[in-house]
Amino acid sequence: MVAFGFREYGEKGTRPLGKRVCEQLLPLIEQNSCVVLDFTGVNVVSNSFADECIAKLLLEMPLAELRSRTTLMHLIPYNTRKNFLYKVKNSAFIGI
């Protein structure tokens, strides 16, 4: 298991940053059986960033494979109630 920390990328608000992070995250997921997507210290993730970074992974691999290779950790409850990551966590990632 390997952890991928989102904190080091600063404010998660733009598509360009989401794309850059996705480009670093995809090889890590492909090369490891389990990658922890660690949101420790992350207070805000925009829909644009999440779409470009997380949802675009589904263009590279089937949902079942993404679910089996990743888990989400340390999402702040307030931010997860109404945003994209909450929807991803509660639908695509159930059971991990």
Side-chain angles (χ1 to χ4, degrees):
M1 182 181 317
V2 64
F4 185 88
F6 282 83
R7 180 191 313 192
E8 68 186 74
Y9 294 96
E11 292 299 319
K12 270 57 77 199
T14 67
R15 280 191 184 278
L17 180 58
K19 182 178 180 180
R20 187 172 60 118
V21 172
C22 185
E23 289 169 351
Q24 295 175 16
L25 183 56
L26 181 60
L28 194 64
I29 293 171
E30 292 174 335
Q31 296 168 8
N32 293 278
S33 61
C34 183
V35 177
V36 175
L37 305 180
D38 187 356
F39 289 87
T40 299
V42 175
N43 294 317
V44 176
V45 175
S46 75
N47 287 346
S48 296
F49 177 90
D51 180 51
E52 198 66 40
C53 181
I54 306 296
K56 293 287 173 85
L57 293 171
L58 295 172
L59 298 175
E60 303 296 329
M61 66 185 67
L63 176 59
E65 181 180 355
L66 183 61
R67 286 179 61 193
S68 72
R69 292 177 165 277
T70 60
T71 189
L72 300 170
M73 290 185 64
H74 303 286
L75 294 175
I76 297 172
Y78 174 78
N79 289 336
T80 61
R81 285 196 182 110
K82 294 184 180 175
N83 71 15
F84 180 81
L85 287 177
Y86 180 75
K87 293 174 186 172
V88 170
K89 179 182 180 207
N90 286 307
S91 60
F93 290 87
I94 285 176
I96 294 186

